[in-house]
Amino acid sequence: MNAPVPPNEKRRLEVLWKYDLLDTPRDETLDDLTELAAFICQTPVALISLVDENRQWFKSRIGLTVTETAREISFCAHAILNSDVMVVPDALQDPRFAHSPLVTGSPFIRFYAGAPLVTPDGHALGTLCVTDREPRQLNDGQVEALRKLARVIMNFLELRRQLKGLSCVPIRQQSPG
């Protein structure tokens, strides 16, 4: 089942593009945070997913080799509609996902939890998410950790965006004194 398009989709996409993240190389800091999410949640897969018009693209991925999937089969396209962590304990029991090729075929997702990556002005660019091949739940501490990691990731992306916008001004050297 396709996720509804957010009411602010045009503006959300404009903001996403301003972050200049799509189709960029991997980032060690983001990979470390993604790996930390997998460790905390004890899942084999963790991703930083960015949702554009037609796809979800993985800026960081642990435990998955593909770099993107179609938006219409994306769990994250549903998660960006939420203001908090979206948890799907068993995708086979959820009518939104039961017939998804991501559930019925490889990677055989049964469990999903995704925390939206929300910009300071309220646009969800994507998610920090974890998945498993087995149905499960997260405890309260794991859900809170996903929330906090998503905020750290978004703060990192925001700082990166702001620094890219600064012009490089040479530092004037002081003469020895």
Side-chain angles (χ1 to χ4, degrees):
M1 183 182 301
N2 291 356
V5 175
N8 64 347
E9 181 67 355
K10 183 178 178 198
R11 180 69 183 134
R12 188 192 73 78
L13 290 171
E14 290 170 357
V15 171
L16 172 62
W17 297 325
K18 285 183 180 177
Y19 278 81
D20 195 26
L21 293 165
L22 295 169
D23 302 308
T24 58
R26 293 182 78 145
D27 180 287
E28 184 178 17
T29 299
L30 294 175
D31 285 346
D32 286 347
L33 293 167
T34 306
E35 191 169 344
L36 188 57
F39 176 77
I40 290 168
C41 296
Q42 294 297 292
T43 59
V45 176
L47 308 161
I48 294 175
S49 175
L50 302 169
V51 179
D52 75 8
E53 304 127 308
N54 302 311
R55 65 182 173 150
Q56 67 175 350
W57 179 74
F58 307 128
K59 175 64 179 161
S60 178
R61 62 191 190 282
I62 304 298
L64 194 65
T65 57
V66 298
T67 59
E68 65 184 58
T69 66
R71 181 175 178 161
E72 62 263 10
I73 62 171
S74 164
F75 282 69
C76 297
H78 290 267
I80 65 170
L81 301 171
N82 297 294
S83 60
D84 199 9
V85 178
M86 181 181 95
V87 178
V88 179
D90 187 347
L92 280 176
Q93 302 303 315
D94 190 311
R96 297 172 295 178
F97 307 112
H99 301 290
S100 167
L102 298 174
V103 174
T104 60
S106 184
F108 299 99
I109 296 171
R110 290 292 295 276
F111 167 78
Y112 170 92
L117 301 173
V118 181
T119 65
D121 59 350
H123 294 93
L125 305 182
T127 69
L128 168 63
C129 66
V130 293
T131 72
D132 200 338
R133 291 177 163 220
E134 302 294 326
R136 56 182 308 193
Q137 279 284 0
L138 295 180
N139 64 42
D140 292 344
Q142 291 168 317
V143 171
E144 184 60 23
L146 272 182
R147 274 187 205 108
K148 288 180 179 184
L149 284 171
R151 283 196 304 268
V152 168
I153 290 165
M154 199 60 240
N155 288 339
F156 176 79
L157 296 177
E158 179 64 17
L159 180 60
R160 179 184 175 274
R161 185 189 67 77
Q162 290 175 6
L163 288 174
K164 278 187 148 192
L166 295 176
S167 60
C168 294
V169 178
I171 299 173
R172 188 176 141 182
Q173 293 183 345
Q174 290 182 325
S175 57

